[in-house]
Amino acid sequence: MVKEAENAKKPRFLCLHGFRTSGEILKKQIHKWPESLLQNLDLVFLDAPYPANGKSEVEGIFDPPYYEWFQFNAEFTEYTNFDECLAYIEDFMIKNGPFDGLLGFSQGAILSAGLPGLQANGVALTKVPKIKYLIIIGGAKFRAPSVAEKAYLSPIQCPSLHFLGEMDYLRPYGLELLESCVDPVVIHHPKGHTIPRLDEKSRAIMHSFIERIASAKKENSASV
């Protein structure tokens, strides 16, 4: 009970893993970060709804099973099982929420960054509280026109923290995503498409972001 009460005070994030990985793998990747930061967040890791429909890039690094959120064509402009994916996430949030924000890596980051706009336009997550915060690692925008026109119809209003790798092949698309965000905080790192370890500067930026959302959560709780 004591632990549950402590967690209730922390900002709660639903964590969405990368393509053909898993919630357990994302948990291991995230734990590169200092415990002094992680202990200030309540992180919940979800497996995507579909078993990997092909080879995973983390094979030989992390053990299976591997999952994917939805499928796409070679140009990333058409999606399969996308609506089912949104319904699956919403169902989990209804049963296990409420959540203050979303944390995502790669395909999970693309989903996370697009969901506030889809929610605001009544396309997704209509039965759960508004997403208030985002942590986006190696993210980008949706490229399917039918999804993008609804996800980015208005600027992304919620405060967001973005990790951009100098060698990340998605970096140009991550920069493009920043342009759609009203209040982005950015951590630059020298690595590629990965969840980086944090240097002193990155730790300070992340600590400040977590402190800010924790303070806002405390204020909201006090006013209820």
Side-chain angles (χ1 to χ4, degrees), residues 104-129:
F105 171 57
S106 196
Q107 190 184 35
I110 294 169
L111 257 175
S112 296
L115 278 168
L118 295 177
Q119 185 182 44
N121 287 300
V123 177
L125 308 188
T126 57
K127 300 171 187 169
V128 295

Side-chain angles (χ1 to χ4, degrees), residues 37-54:
L37 286 177
L38 295 176
Q39 68 186 8
N40 294 313
L41 297 171
D42 181 11
L43 302 178
V44 178
F45 297 85
L46 175 62
D47 288 332
Y50 300 103
N53 193 24

